[in-house]
Amino acid sequence: MQSFYLSFTDYPLLRDPEWVGTENYGRIFGEDPIFMKSLGVTFAYVLFSVPLKLFFSLMVAILLNREIRGISFYRTMVYIPSLIGGSVAVAVLWKNMFGMDGYVNHMLGWFGITGIGWVSNPNTALGTLILLATWQFGSTMIIFLAGLKQIPRDLYESSGVDGASKIRQFFHITLPMLSPVMFFNLVLGIIGSFQMFNSAFIITGGGPANSTYTYALMLYDKAFKNFEMGYASALAWLLLFLIALLTAVNFYASKYWVFYESEGGRK
């Protein structure tokens, strides 16, 4: 709770905090032009990275939900990117891969396509970070896989006897039965994406032209570069409020699409 108190102070770290009331919050909404930019970048990152990660993790989980030889090895290989995905080494590798002389442009050259500096172009820099987040779908995939194993096989067998196709089974059995797990992954994904920092800090540094300047990166700069601890505390509490608000909205909306078998249908 000390940070909540500091959010109402001017605290340059090298001297005692000085009470300024709501000045920090007024500055956020009225005087800081970069605030809305960082918030827009963060919302764009969340809007694209979370659905993409959910989609690919679910598709891979369905593929790995089979009893075939060596399936444990395949699951391990798919999960490895999530173990190393947040490391500095992977971020540096990603930066080199999408650089002007990186592996991506090298492969495009095989087809006669002239590449660009993906991480140095304002139009594509954020996309590279979203792609990195999507690649780290292992943890979400494992949760989906656990949910898939809880779906009774009798439902598929009965629907198959009635002539239901695989696509029909997916939309009328798999998705409804998996909706609680999907809701869980959605909430965790949104919370984690709003706090994204490492990738933007290491790969792009918030650039170019602030196109990847996320909210967490702005908070870091205010706190540890400008030593505006009071202002950074206000930003942190505002981030907490935004995440709590979106989580509450998701919980409210869940009653329209999340099904709980033990309660006989929608909650």
Side-chain angles (χ1 to χ4, degrees):
M1 291 301 294
Q2 185 177 5
S3 66
F4 184 69
Y5 164 74
L6 291 177
S7 70
F8 295 97
T9 67
D10 177 19
Y11 184 30
L13 193 63
L14 299 179
R15 61 175 173 81
D16 293 336
E18 178 182 344
W19 182 266
V20 294
T22 59
E23 182 179 312
N24 287 328
Y25 293 96
R27 177 184 165 192
I28 290 175
F29 292 104
E31 302 177 17
D32 194 341
I34 202 65
F35 166 73
M36 291 305 299
K37 175 65 176 179
S38 65
L39 194 61
V41 169
T42 304
F43 269 107
Y45 177 81
V46 173
L47 183 63
F48 287 99
S49 65
V50 173
L52 283 173
K53 181 182 286 190
L54 288 176
F55 174 77
F56 281 107
S57 59
L58 177 57
M59 293 300 104
V60 174
I62 291 174
L63 290 176
L64 295 179
N65 188 33
R66 300 181 181 184
E67 298 300 329
I68 60 176
R69 188 186 182 118
I71 191 64
S72 297
F73 172 78
Y74 300 138
R75 292 170 181 169
T76 302
M77 292 297 101
V78 170
Y79 184 68
I80 285 179
S82 291
L83 295 177
I84 64 175
S87 68
V88 174
V90 169
V92 173
L93 175 63
W94 206 260
K95 181 178 181 179
N96 291 332
M97 284 178 57
F98 287 90
M100 193 64 192
D101 299 321
Y103 303 117
V104 173
N105 285 344
H106 182 68
M107 288 187 293
L108 290 176
W110 297 345
F111 303 96
I113 302 174
T114 302
I116 62 174
W118 301 93
V119 295
S120 59
N121 189 318
N123 297 321
T124 57
L126 185 61
T128 62
L129 302 186
I130 293 172
L131 188 61
L132 175 58
T134 304
W135 177 65
Q136 301 166 11
F137 62 78
S139 298
T140 308
M141 180 272 296
I142 289 295
I143 297 174
F144 272 132
L145 186 59
L148 286 170
K149 290 188 174 299
Q150 299 303 313
I151 301 177
R153 303 305 305 174
D154 295 344
L155 295 177
Y156 294 103
E157 294 173 359
S158 300
S159 62
V161 171
D162 292 337
S165 64
K166 294 294 184 180
I167 296 179
R168 191 175 182 85
Q169 288 177 343
F170 174 76
F171 284 102
H172 292 273
I173 298 177
T174 304
L175 286 185
M177 295 294 291
L178 208 59
S179 59
V181 177
M182 190 175 301
F183 173 64
F184 177 79
N185 280 332
L186 174 64
V187 171
L188 288 188
I190 291 175
I191 293 173
S193 296
F194 264 101
Q195 301 176 71
M196 192 276 285
F197 172 78
N198 286 351
S199 300
F201 180 73
I202 297 171
I203 298 176
T204 63
N210 292 329
S211 60
T212 61
Y213 197 63
T214 63
Y215 194 99
L217 191 55
M218 176 188 178
L219 197 157
Y220 170 84
D221 285 345
K222 296 297 183 182
F224 300 106
K225 286 187 177 181
N226 300 342
F227 299 109
E228 299 179 83
M229 290 297 178
Y231 189 67
S233 296
L235 288 170
W237 277 93
L238 183 59
L239 177 61
L240 175 63
F241 173 77
L242 287 173
I243 292 176
L245 179 62
L246 286 175
T247 302
V249 170
N250 279 321
F251 269 91
Y252 176 79
S254 68
K255 65 183 180 181
Y256 297 106
W257 64 277
V258 178
F259 295 81
Y260 296 93
E261 182 183 9
S262 60
E263 299 181 10
R266 295 180 181 177
K267 183 177 178 180

